[in-house]
């Protein structure tokens, strides 16, 4: 009997050891442009999000989860790498702050390291379903140097670019609208001039030489091509679906996109249920153009935006259901978040508000360091490992995801400089304070704001070195340009910087002064020292106080040279420029 008892105990300990040593799965779900105030568990009581709320009730909710940038491309670069986007050249000091053309050469540099690449090296099957928006090609159509497959994702299905208004006829354009109009007007003027000169010659009013007419004709053709080919065909060039490195639909059918992305995400989980996997499910919701799925149209109390949110919640529920039905819940780290805050300026008279609600927080998408553009939902569920219903109010960052995944995958290999920290001590309740004593906030490539969480206080002090100029004056956004800009006359510099205490004033409404805050001078001094230390971690030009991206150290991926469309880099289904194909929908039946 003693011998039998010993064997049972020994075998039991082996089983426990196997469970403890088993690598966890990761299901990371990122929404596009979702406001923190859009979700029920963050205070919204008029839009139904029961599935997202369930994740929060069964796991941990972060209330101060901060994106590294208030726009898609730089924020996603930071999530992937665990580093501020400036470190990989993914932050712009000019007008354009995101990638605009799939046929551009900018993107996440091939020598950057993503969390997918690290996990792939540790035996994980990795997949990305949905939006990428971090570039595709560098020098030729097929080099795929920025492609997800080159950044650690074994499988990719989705949008190498993003969903934007040009993908649906009649929804308007999001890409350099003023330049489009200027080129269009130039083309019309040249055409009108040519027609006028032809009439003058035919009527004999003036002697117009034939060579001049021919020259004007060819100039008009070139002007028309410069306008129409890159801009008039944007739906064909940018709105495509790829499976791995093959273009399988061009242009894509937007109406069926949500169902296809969901089916691909579910299929990836089911295919890899018996091995460690990482799924990054990067949804097309809730970016415009908004979907009009019949099952959800007109069902919410907030128009089309509310309909899309409730569809999004249903999708999250189906992914959770897939994980649970396969018996994977207790070994799967699930995460829900958004890349940045809601787009306040996006609305029209027909549909109404098309962007999100950022709750009590000031600002939104593309508004630099204002809280509404960078504070996003952060929910983690892992039954048996994370306590249900736990709330963490400490400052945390989307960049923390990278070191957290490394830790859970038992990746102890050396890495480059990281700006994020492992979240598990906070999530598991083993630590009460965040390691983010200071955090820095960028508007494009410019250091815009910073926060300090003193170790002896609950206060979280935040300074703004400059702020975007809202228009019209007194408005809560940049309604003239639709997105705020970060340079020149578009911003107001502050010296001394604006100072707020987010613990007592999360809406950044009451500016602190030496008369109202006893620690005023100390706060500015501590943050100034932290900024100098932060700057020292970047390469900088000699004699300059500003953080710079040097061509010989970090190549700027967001320059005009990198962003503008190049025909030889354009992904194409078929023979360029006759690109076009449709995915076989029968594979989803």
């Amino acid at each position: 009997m003693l011998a039998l008892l010993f064997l049972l105990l020994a075998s039991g300990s082996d089983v426990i050891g196997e469970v403890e040593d088993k690598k966890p799965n990761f299901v990371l779900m990122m929404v596009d442009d979702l406001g923190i105030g859009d979700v029920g568990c963050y205070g919204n009581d008029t839009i139904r999000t029961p599935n997202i709320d369930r994740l929060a009730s069964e796991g941990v909710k972060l209330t101060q989860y901060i994106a590294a940038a208030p726009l898609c491309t730089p924020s996603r670069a930071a999530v992937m790498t665990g580093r501020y986007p400036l470190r990989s050249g993914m932050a712009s000091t000019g007008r354009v702050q995101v990638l605009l053309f799939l046929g551009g050469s900018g993107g996440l540099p091939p020598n950057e390291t993503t969390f997918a690449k690290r996990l792939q090296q540790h035996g994980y099957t990795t997949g990305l379903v949905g939006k990428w928006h971090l570039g595709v090609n560098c020098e030729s159509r097929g080099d795929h140097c920025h492609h997800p497959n080159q950044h650690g994702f074994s499988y990719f299905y989705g949008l190498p670019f993003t969903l934007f208004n040009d993908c649906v006829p009649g929804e308007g354009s999001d890409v350099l609208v003023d330049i489009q109009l200027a080129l269009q007007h130039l083309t019309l003027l040249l055409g009108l001039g040519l027609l006028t000169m032809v009439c003058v010659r035919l009527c004999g009013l003036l002697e117009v030489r034939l060579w001049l007419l021919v020259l004007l004709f060819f100039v008009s053709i070139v002007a028309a091509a410069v306008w129409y080919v890159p801009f008039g065909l944007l739906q064909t060039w940018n709105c495509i679906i790829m499976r791995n490195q093959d273009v399988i639909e061009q242009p894509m059918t937007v109406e069926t996109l949500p169902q296809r992305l969901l089916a691909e995400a579910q299929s990836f989980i089911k295919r890899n249920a018996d091995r460690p996997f990482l799924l990054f499910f990067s949804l097309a919701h809730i970016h415009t153009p908004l979907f009009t799925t019949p099952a959800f149209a007109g069902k919410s109390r907030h128009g089309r935006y509310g309909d899309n949110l409730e569809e999004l919640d249903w999708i999250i529920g189906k992914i959770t259901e897939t994980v649970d039905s396969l018996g994977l819940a207790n070994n799967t780290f699930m995460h829900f978040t958004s890349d940045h805050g809601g787009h306040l300026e996006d609305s029209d008279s027909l549909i109404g508000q098309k962007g999100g609600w950022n709750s009590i927080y000031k600002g939104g998408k593309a508004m630099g360091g204002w809280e509404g553009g960078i504070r996003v939902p952060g929910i983690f569920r892992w039954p048996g490992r994370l306590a249900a219903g736990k709330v963490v109010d400490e400052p945390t960052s989307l960049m923390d995801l990278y070191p957290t995944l490394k830790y859970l995958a038992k990746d102890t290999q050396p890495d480059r400089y990281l700006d994020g920290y492992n979240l598990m001590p906070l999530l598991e309740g083993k630590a009460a304070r965040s390691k983010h004593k200071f955090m820095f906030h960028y508007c494009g490539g410019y250091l815009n704001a910073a926060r300090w969480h003193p170790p002896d206080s609950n206060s979280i002090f935040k300074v703004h070195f400059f702020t975007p100029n809202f228009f019209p004056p007194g408005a809560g956004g940049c309604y003239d340009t639709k997105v705020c800009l970060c340079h020149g006359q578009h911003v107001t510099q502050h010296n001394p910087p604006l100072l707020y205490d987010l613990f007592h004033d999360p809406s950044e409404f009451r500016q602190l002064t030496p008369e109202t805050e006893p620690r005023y001078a100390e706060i500015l001094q501590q943050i100034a020292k932290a900024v100098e230390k932060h700057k020292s971690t970047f390469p900088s030009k000699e004699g300059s106080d500003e953080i710079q991206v040097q061509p010989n150290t970090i190549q700027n991926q967001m320059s005009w040279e990198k962003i503008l469309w190049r025909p030889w880099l354009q992904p194409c289904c078929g023979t360029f420029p006759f690109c076009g194909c449709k995915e076989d929908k029968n594979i989803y039946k």
Side-chain angles (χ1 to χ4, degrees), residues 300-311:
S300 80
R301 295 166 58 184
H302 287 276
R304 192 179 297 181
Y305 186 82
D307 298 344
N308 275 244
L309 261 175
E310 294 187 359
E311 180 180 21

Side-chain angles (χ1 to χ4, degrees), residues 88-253:
S88 54
M90 298 296 285
S92 169
T93 54
R95 166 186 171 178
V96 179
Q97 300 175 54
V98 299
L99 298 179
L100 294 181
F101 294 96
L102 201 52
S105 63
L108 192 63
N111 62 351
E112 255 298 351
T113 303
T114 65
F115 59 71
K117 192 176 290 185
R118 300 292 297 210
L119 265 62
Q120 194 178 53
Q121 294 168 354
H122 283 75
Y124 275 80
T125 300
T126 56
L128 190 158
V129 174
K131 171 177 174 173
W132 174 239
H133 208 183
L134 294 174
V136 177
N137 296 315
C138 286
E139 297 179 356
S140 64
R141 183 169 293 119
D143 65 31
H144 298 115
C145 69
H146 302 305
H147 190 279
N149 289 160
Q150 304 301 324
H151 280 294
F153 290 100
S154 313
Y155 180 75
F156 170 65
Y157 174 93
L159 295 71
F161 190 62
T162 184
L163 179 67
F164 69 135
N165 283 327
D166 299 77
C167 294
V168 177
E171 289 286 344
S173 181
D174 289 329
V175 178
L176 303 176
V177 177
D178 57 334
I179 294 178
Q180 288 193 53
L181 289 174
L183 290 171
Q184 186 178 5
H185 292 161
L186 176 62
T187 301
L188 291 174
L189 285 174
L190 288 171
L192 183 61
L194 176 61
L195 181 62
T196 301
M197 295 183 72
V198 168
C199 291
V200 167
R201 177 184 169 91
L202 291 176
C203 294
L205 298 176
L206 287 174
E207 183 180 353
V208 180
R209 295 186 179 277
L210 184 60
W211 67 265
L212 183 59
L213 293 177
V214 172
L215 176 63
L216 190 56
F217 172 77
F218 281 110
V219 170
S220 300
I221 293 296
V222 170
V226 169
W227 158 57
Y228 184 75
V229 174
F231 294 109
L233 299 175
L234 268 175
Q235 184 183 12
T236 298
W237 303 143
N238 280 357
C239 305
I240 73 174
I241 295 177
M242 298 182 77
R243 177 175 277 111
N244 293 322
Q245 297 179 6
D246 296 323
V247 179
I248 60 172
E249 187 160 289
Q250 188 174 22
M252 65 183 172
T253 303

